[in-house]
Amino acid sequence: MTTQEAFLDYARKTFGDALASVTVEHGEVTFVVPRARWLATCQTLRDEPAFHFEQLIDLCGVDYLTYGERERCEPRFAVVAHLLSLAHNRRLRVRAFLDDEQPTIASVTGVWNSADWYEREAFDLFGFIFEGHKDLRRLLTDYGFVGHPFRKDFPISGRVEVRYDPDKRRVVYEPVSIEPRVLVPRVIREEGYGGRDS
């Protein structure tokens, strides 16, 4: 399969209604698939010789709480896989939207081993649950962290103290008050440099 048009035609015939949409922007192809068809679609994209996307380059979460000029997007969350076929020299993005209240989706660690830490990162930072992942736990924040910092409604204070609480037997995060400092530029003039006498 040599042309992009042939690739897209074959994909539409192969997946049928499993492709909710197909977009091509800036020469890059994105498939949107229903959450229920995520795992099967990824498996086919890896195993079907005409696709042969043997590498998962990245898997990330997206929060569409605010997107563009719209205030609130429905659905809010999405998982996006970035795939590479070395055999066909082709890249592909595959997106599935998640339920706002229960953002769960099947794990693709059985399809690509590299999904392991990517899914843990999306779990940690967005709160997505990857069903079937064998070790879904926080990756970047510690076990005592509360919330998911990449969600757009996560409160960002920038001023927290981290300490171990022996009663709770975990790390706790507490706001601290820091007096704002007024920055006054300090000009240092060395003798004989930049002045009239030099």
Side-chain angles (χ1 to χ4, degrees):
M1 186 170 324
T2 55
T3 67
Q4 191 171 72
E5 293 79 18
F7 167 73
L8 294 175
D9 286 344
Y10 187 77
R12 288 184 182 104
K13 287 175 190 169
T14 303
F15 295 112
D17 62 353
L19 286 183
S21 72
V22 176
T23 58
V24 180
E25 290 184 24
H26 308 291
E28 296 191 10
V29 179
T30 302
F31 291 172
V32 175
V33 301
R35 182 174 58 92
R37 304 289 297 272
W38 171 256
L39 181 58
T41 303
C42 289
Q43 188 81 49
T44 302
L45 287 169
R46 186 197 67 182
D47 295 343
E48 172 65 37
F51 298 127
H52 197 58
F53 287 98
E54 67 266 50
Q55 287 192 3
L56 172 71
I57 296 174
D58 192 14
L59 183 143
C60 60
V62 181
D63 182 353
Y64 291 102
L65 181 65
T66 56
Y67 183 71
E69 296 177 6
R70 296 180 292 175
E71 282 301 309
R72 180 73 167 90
C73 292
E74 295 290 341
R76 175 178 171 180
F77 299 115
V79 169
V80 184
H82 301 262
L83 308 178
L84 174 65
S85 170
L86 294 170
H88 300 294
N89 191 24
R90 185 182 310 280
R91 292 177 184 269
L92 175 68
R93 230 181 274 128
V94 184
R95 178 183 297 127
F97 288 97
L98 309 181
D99 182 61
D100 290 12
E101 299 301 316
Q102 198 76 344
T104 61
I105 195 163
S107 172
V108 291
T109 52
V111 181
W112 299 285
N113 290 335
S114 59
D116 185 5
W117 280 32
Y118 294 138
E119 289 181 356
R120 284 182 58 193
E121 182 182 38
F123 164 72
D124 190 0
L125 302 178
F126 289 96
F128 299 167
I129 306 296
F130 293 88
E131 296 171 329
H133 193 290
K134 292 182 178 147
D135 189 21
L136 196 60
R137 59 190 162 102
R138 290 195 181 269
L139 180 67
L140 299 172
T141 62
D142 67 79
Y143 62 91
F145 192 87
V146 177
H148 305 286
F150 275 18
R151 288 188 175 194
K152 290 184 178 176
D153 56 359
F154 184 79
I156 300 176
S157 66
R159 298 182 175 129
V160 294
E161 176 183 33
V162 180
R163 67 175 180 79
Y164 181 78
D165 185 328
D167 296 330
K168 294 181 180 177
R169 294 176 23 178
R170 67 177 177 89
V171 174
V172 294
Y173 298 79
E174 297 177 341
V176 294
S177 61
I178 299 173
E179 292 298 321
R181 196 172 81 173
V182 178
L183 295 177
V184 178
R186 184 174 170 202
V187 179
I188 300 173
R189 292 198 176 117
E190 295 179 18
E191 235 178 89
Y193 180 77
R196 280 190 239 171
D197 299 336
S198 53

